[in-house]
Amino acid sequence: MYAACAVVFLGFGGLAMLPESNIQAGSRLRFCLSFAGGFLLYAVIWSVAWFSLPNTFGEVIGSFFGLLAFTAVLRTTLKFPQPLMTATAVIFLWHTLGYYTGGFAYMSLQNKGPLGIMLNAEPSTVRLVARLSWGLFYGLGLGTGISRLLHLSRQS
């Protein structure tokens, strides 16, 4: 599932963000490649942190430093004036909200946690729906953070 999410973000993330980026036609490929490179860097840093510390601390540390690297790549490509830590904080806030909301939905749809929901479906279907819900919320959170950052950079 993580690999599938990474492929979607690498292949289509930059394209999805083009309207918000306000990039001119000649620089669109550069933006998409920069987005993919930055996201790949984020994914590697997050994975190293999580595999080294397979708990919430590893997730948070990996997310922060991965998003710091991702933001640095985008900031260099787009040349927006926000300080690196401010730009990272914007993405980190939305990313974290989406990540943990997705985790909550993932657990709830499997009838776990305080708001567990019993779905009337085969266990494999329930797992798939739970995984897709996690991906949906994660993508919405990260996408909102990146979109917000790009919007703020255009206003500067």
Side-chain angles (χ1 to χ4, degrees), residues 60-134:
V60 172
I61 291 298
S63 294
F64 177 76
F65 286 106
L67 291 169
L68 181 70
F70 176 77
T71 304
V73 170
L74 280 185
R75 190 171 180 264
T76 301
T77 302
L78 297 174
K79 296 179 180 28
F80 54 85
Q82 282 87 12
L84 180 60
M85 294 307 284
T86 301
T88 302
V90 169
I91 291 179
F92 184 76
L93 169 73
W94 287 102
H95 168 277
T96 303
L97 183 63
Y99 185 88
Y100 286 104
T101 301
F104 183 76
Y106 175 79
M107 296 302 285
S108 295
L109 290 171
Q110 295 181 81
N111 200 23
K112 298 175 184 174
L115 295 178
I117 300 167
M118 176 65 86
L119 297 178
N120 187 17
E122 295 292 322
S124 61
T125 302
V126 171
R127 278 191 303 276
L128 178 63
V129 169
R131 288 174 179 168
L132 290 173
S133 71
W134 179 86

Side-chain angles (χ1 to χ4, degrees), residues 26-83:
S27 300
R28 290 182 178 169
L29 178 62
R30 181 173 178 241
F31 173 76
C32 289
L33 292 174
S34 174
F35 185 95
F39 186 81
L40 185 61
L41 194 55
Y42 156 78
V44 167
I45 292 169
W46 185 91
S47 296
V48 166
W50 192 83
F51 284 115
S52 300
L53 303 163
N55 53 33
T56 302
F57 184 71
E59 291 173 340
V60 172
I61 291 298
S63 294
F64 177 76
F65 286 106
L67 291 169
L68 181 70
F70 176 77
T71 304
V73 170
L74 280 185
R75 190 171 180 264
T76 301
T77 302
L78 297 174
K79 296 179 180 28
F80 54 85
Q82 282 87 12

Side-chain angles (χ1 to χ4, degrees), residues 9 12-23 31-32 35 70 74 78 139-150 154:
F9 276 107
F12 301 107
L15 289 173
M17 292 295 156
L18 275 176
E20 193 63 41
S21 70
N22 204 28
I23 297 288
F31 173 76
C32 289
F35 185 95
F70 176 77
L74 280 185
L78 297 174
L140 287 172
L142 181 59
T144 300
I146 295 168
S147 179
R148 186 71 186 137
L149 179 65
L150 293 174
R154 287 193 352 225

